[in-house]
Amino acid sequence: MKAHDGMYIDGAWRPATGRDAIEVVNPVDERVIGHVPAGTAEDVDAAVRAARAAFPGWAATAPAERAARLAALRDVLAARKDEIAETVTAELGSPLAFSQAVHAGVPVLVAGSYAELAATYAFEEKVGNSTVYQEPVGVVGAITPWNYPLHQIVAKVAPALAAGCTVVLKPAEDTPLTAQLFAEAVAEAGVPAGVFNLVTGLGPVAGQALAEHPDVDLVSFTGSTAVGRRIGATAGAAVKRVALELGGKSANVILPSADLAKAVNVGVANVMSNSGQTCSAWTRMLVPADRYDEAVELAATAAAKYGDRIGPVVNAKQRDRVRGYIEKGVAEGARIVAGGPESPREQGYFISPTVFADVMPQMTIAQEEIFGPVLSILRYEDEEDALRIANGTVYGLAGAVWAGEESEAVAFARRLDTGQVDINGGRFNPLAPFGGYKQSGVGRELGAHGMSEYLQTKSLQF
């Protein structure tokens, strides 16, 4: 697609107030594929003012009409699926088949789920002698990451619109073209002017201006825990609501009764998906000590198959960051059994699918989020030891448990300090709440729980 040289504000593409631009680089060949404007605080203010002006009308719109606009948005995204996939592939480097299935396909499901939810949600209920109303929070500032550029946008914007909120979106600077496509889809779906607005720009400038703006009622952010802390502190000072989906270091716990080969192979695939750039990736594989060597061999063999299947990481900074973690793992005594820090290609931001053995729970690679195709395999002695290791990080976003009997896996999963757990390879559910415990965030996304983040409660007594 051709990049827009302005901001989408109040239903139209408008020139940016500043002259600075952001280069969009293809991570596969390091070629500049476009430029978008670097938004200023003035651009953010114009977008927020448009959202504030549009809020009363959109909040008063019947839920059935909001549902109709979201259904239209779903249909537009479905019709433009190929263009979306090609755009994500160009600016993120994701293999086209993965972009088609996941980056373009999942947002259609999520948008459709909110079209249905907006039409059926109980926005009011009787509780004794009271009527309780669920009302939209107001203007939402949505700040989204680059790893799943369209999914993360839809997972915030769709529930906000379904709830009756208006939105200003600041997407990641690495993947702004996908966000511009989404703005085009919003316009094509007939969403009224000002209900959705887009400002491209850098986080410390446009993102900060959006988080600090006094007319933004809620900030929804997905990204690093460090940035999430700053946004939370800013919002707290203003007594402003936040929804924060932050980092993860999820455990894949393989209990002794599990099908080891299946659990290891699915676990490796999970880590390598999207080049490891998934906050919920199961980057720590926990294996019984007496089957450890077998698991390591299986994982190394499985990882070797992904050498030419995965794309690059998003940029040079991220490539160097992941390499640094791999080198740190070696320095702290872990053993590489697949991959390593050397780039498999001369051009592009590629990282070899990497598997570490002999990883101890306290090592950096077992504690910090790497955000690349790197798996750490840890041994445990018994279930209590596995539980201690699994819960032994500051994160609690996702995880997996494998066992011969589902009930055994469920019993263990209920003891994990994490927001979402897949049992024996459970499938993705776009209606299930997603979010974390501990430093993995505040609030939930997806389904009815995701929409509740954008609602506030009022009760009338009779």
Side-chain angles (χ1 to χ4, degrees), residues 11-38:
W13 292 96
R14 299 184 175 185
T17 58
R19 295 184 178 181
D20 292 341
I22 298 170
E23 288 186 344
V24 184
V25 177
N26 186 323
V28 172
D29 57 16
E30 306 177 45
R31 179 173 49 90
V32 176
I33 58 174
H35 296 80
V36 298

Side-chain angles (χ1 to χ4, degrees), residues 67 70-71 74 106-121 151 154-155 158-159 162 428-432 445-448 450-451:
L70 285 167
R74 171 202 62 203
V106 171
V108 174
L109 294 176
V110 174
S113 75
Y114 281 112
E116 295 177 7
L117 192 58
T120 59
Y121 192 83
H151 168 65
V154 172
F428 171 74
N429 180 2
L431 299 178
E445 293 188 328
L446 303 180
M451 193 166 86

Side-chain angles (χ1 to χ4, degrees), residues 350-375:
F350 289 88
I351 295 287
S352 295
T354 299
V355 176
F356 276 105
D358 300 336
V359 179
M360 303 302 291
Q362 71 274 15
M363 288 181 177
T364 302
I365 59 172
Q367 289 291 320
E368 297 184 10
E369 185 175 45
I370 297 173
F371 227 60
V374 181
L375 170 66

Side-chain angles (χ1 to χ4, degrees), residues 369-420:
E369 185 175 45
I370 297 173
F371 227 60
V374 181
L375 170 66
S376 295
I377 308 180
L378 298 91
R379 57 169 58 85
Y380 66 85
E381 297 301 326
D382 54 30
E383 285 195 16
E384 292 305 314
D385 191 34
L387 184 68
R388 176 186 63 81
I389 295 169
N391 287 338
T393 75
V394 299
Y395 298 112
L397 186 56
V401 181
W402 301 79
E405 295 293 332
E406 183 178 288
S407 59
E408 181 188 2
V410 169
F412 189 92
R414 291 295 304 273
R415 301 172 70 194
L416 291 174
D417 297 334
T418 192
Q420 191 172 78

Side-chain angles (χ1 to χ4, degrees), residues 175-372:
T175 53
L177 303 183
T178 301
Q180 290 189 341
L181 269 180
F182 179 77
E184 293 178 2
V186 167
E188 191 174 340
V191 175
V195 171
F196 170 80
N197 306 272
L198 168 68
V199 176
T200 54
L202 301 175
V205 180
Q208 183 171 335
L210 184 58
E212 293 178 347
H213 200 290
D215 274 340
V216 170
D217 300 293
L218 181 149
V219 180
S220 181
F221 168 79
T222 297
S224 72
T225 297
V227 176
R229 287 194 194 99
R230 293 199 293 271
I231 289 174
T234 297
V239 196
K240 181 183 302 186
R241 283 175 59 173
V242 294
L244 304 173
E245 199 267 278
L246 308 175
K249 194 67 184 176
S250 301
N252 179 17
V253 182
I254 304 174
L255 295 176
S257 62
D259 180 336
L260 183 68
K262 181 178 180 181
V264 170
N265 282 308
V266 174
V268 171
N270 175 278
V271 172
M272 301 308 160
S273 179
N274 207 39
S275 302
Q277 299 169 127
T278 303
C279 53
S280 57
W282 311 333
T283 52
R284 295 181 297 145
M285 182 179 290
L286 277 57
V287 182
D290 60 358
R291 303 195 70 182
Y292 187 79
D293 292 341
E294 181 183 357
V296 168
E297 184 177 350
L298 286 167
T301 301
K305 298 176 182 177
Y306 287 89
D308 57 357
R309 291 189 198 175
I310 64 173
V313 294
V314 69
N315 55 37
K317 180 180 178 182
Q318 185 65 16
R319 176 199 60 198
D320 295 343
R321 179 177 185 271
V322 175
R323 281 179 177 171
Y325 272 111
I326 295 173
E327 292 166 353
K328 183 78 168 178
V330 173
E332 291 184 357
R335 174 168 55 96
I336 292 177
V337 296
E342 298 80 14
S343 178
R345 303 191 192 183
E346 292 184 3
Q347 189 176 42
Y349 310 129
F350 289 88
I351 295 287
S352 295
T354 299
V355 176
F356 276 105
D358 300 336
V359 179
M360 303 302 291
Q362 71 274 15
M363 288 181 177
T364 302
I365 59 172
Q367 289 291 320
E368 297 184 10
E369 185 175 45
I370 297 173
F371 227 60

Side-chain angles (χ1 to χ4, degrees), residues 129-169:
N129 65 307
S130 302
T131 300
V132 179
Y133 296 92
Q134 298 295 321
E135 299 181 343
V137 168
V139 175
V140 173
I143 304 174
T144 56
W146 44 260
N147 59 327
Y148 290 90
L150 184 59
H151 168 65
Q152 299 284 4
I153 290 170
V154 172
K156 296 183 187 302
V157 175
L161 299 190
C165 297
T166 55
V167 179
V168 177
L169 169 68

